[in-house]
Amino acid sequence: MTAGPTTGAAAGGANRGIPPVALAAAFATLIFWSGTVVANRAAVESIDGLTAGALRSMLAGFIGLGIALAFRLPFPKAARHRCLLVVSGWINFAIWPTVLSLGVALANASHAALIMALLPVTTGLIAAIVNRVRPQPGWWSGAAIAIAGTVLLILLTQPAGDLALSPTWLIGDLVVLAGVLLCSAGYVGGAKLGPIVGSWSATFYGLGTALMLTVPAILILHPYTDWTAVTADSWLAMGWLTLCSSLAGYALWFLAMDRGGIARIAVFQFLQPVLSVAAAAVILGERITWTIVAAGLLILIGTWIAQKYAH
């Protein structure tokens, strides 16, 4: 699947595969992001869900803006590019983290991680719409297999009592799903801005623009959390969300999409639910069953097929 100007280098070398730097950046990002929902769950144990998302983004925003100014990273000159920076920055670094934290507070870490497995499909589809291209049949086949694995995880790894979703579960699922759609749009916007000002500028200035939303949000939301009761685990989780999920994760992901192409890199996110389930097993003590293993294999196979046809 072609993804327009953001895949220039990748499209030209489609037959040579994804550049090693893009692969390394993508897999490093998946490692960072695999712990995101687990860290979110730990954070919202003693911090209000909306506050946790806004605080994570605000802290990352101050650091990111400081890096951009200290290294004098190029800033978009054209008005339309500045608008793209603001829109992608607000979505990626303010709205999406806050929506995810709220959804995780209503549901649980593993369930949110499985819903997030739809990100490669939604990102690829939005990129196709924006760039007016049609995904290849092989890409759809791989996506279908990976989605089947995700559905298997969702339906067969939940406790029996959770299958009849309560209103809280349903709201949490819908909140995370809405966030996934927004996140995909933000990914495409950030990746399209990368070739213009560079991946680092798109990330760190994007984090800075999110401060326009996150600072007022924290001023409004801070009374909803008893800060004297926030646990050390929640603060450690906030550190992971700020430094790994937001700063390093987005910088490396935009670099990967810039060098490897939106469509070809996006499919690697099918691996994220497998890594997230593993993280939940290690950190939260969740049991890994043969059903999870089988579903994980479907996700891996689907990822490989989709990546093969995402040119």
Side-chain angles (χ1 to χ4, degrees), residues 12-31:
N15 294 330
R16 295 190 298 271
I18 298 175
V21 65
L23 280 175
F27 279 110
T29 303
L30 292 180
I31 292 173

Side-chain angles (χ1 to χ4, degrees), residues 123-152:
T123 301
L125 286 177
I126 290 176
I129 293 171
V130 169
N131 296 297
R132 299 179 181 179
V133 296
R134 184 186 300 275
Q136 296 185 35
W139 185 90
W140 286 109
S141 298
I145 293 173
I147 290 175
T150 301
V151 171
L152 181 63

Side-chain angles (χ1 to χ4, degrees), residues 31-291:
I31 292 173
F32 288 145
W33 283 353
S34 66
T36 296
V37 290
V38 175
N40 258 297
R41 189 63 195 173
V44 300
E45 288 296 328
S46 58
I47 302 176
D48 170 71
L50 288 174
T51 305
L55 180 60
R56 154 197 174 180
S57 299
M58 186 186 73
L59 295 174
F62 282 121
I63 298 173
L65 183 60
I67 292 174
L69 295 176
F71 288 92
R72 299 181 180 181
L73 298 178
F75 191 78
K77 296 180 179 179
R80 62 189 182 92
H81 295 154
R82 292 179 180 178
C83 288
L84 183 60
L85 174 67
V86 171
V87 171
S88 64
W90 284 10
I91 293 175
N92 286 323
F93 306 118
I95 299 174
W96 161 238
T98 304
V99 170
L100 177 61
S101 292
L102 178 60
V104 171
L106 295 172
N108 68 8
S110 60
H111 207 87
L114 301 179
I115 295 173
M116 287 168 61
L118 295 174
L119 271 168
V121 173
T122 53
T123 301
L125 286 177
I126 290 176
I129 293 171
V130 169
N131 296 297
R132 299 179 181 179
V133 296
R134 184 186 300 275
Q136 296 185 35
W139 185 90
W140 286 109
S141 298
I145 293 173
I147 290 175
T150 301
V151 171
L152 181 63
L153 279 171
I154 293 173
L155 294 181
L156 299 182
T157 62
Q158 291 293 323
D162 291 339
L163 291 179
L165 296 180
S166 68
T168 300
W169 278 99
L170 179 60
I171 292 172
D173 289 349
L174 292 177
V175 168
V176 175
L177 180 60
V180 164
L181 295 173
L182 288 170
C183 182
S184 296
Y187 282 169
V188 174
K192 290 181 74 67
L193 190 62
I196 299 169
V197 296
S199 301
W200 307 133
S201 293
T203 301
F204 296 130
Y205 279 123
L207 283 163
T209 63
L211 291 172
M212 291 186 281
L213 295 181
T214 56
V215 171
I218 287 297
L219 294 176
I220 296 172
L221 294 171
H222 83 276
Y224 292 95
T225 295
D226 181 2
W227 296 101
T228 61
V230 177
T231 64
D233 286 345
S234 289
W235 283 122
L236 287 173
M238 289 303 304
W240 178 278
L241 293 171
T242 299
L243 299 176
C244 298
S245 298
S246 292
L247 279 169
Y250 276 101
L252 291 172
W253 191 245
F254 285 159
L255 174 64
M257 290 195 295
D258 182 18
R259 300 290 181 87
I262 297 175
R264 294 198 296 171
I265 293 299
V267 295
F268 283 97
Q269 278 197 303
F270 282 127
L271 299 175
Q272 190 170 328
V274 178
L275 297 175
S276 295
V277 168
V282 173
I283 299 173
L284 301 179
E286 296 183 3
R287 188 168 59 95
I288 297 180
T289 65
W290 284 109
T291 301

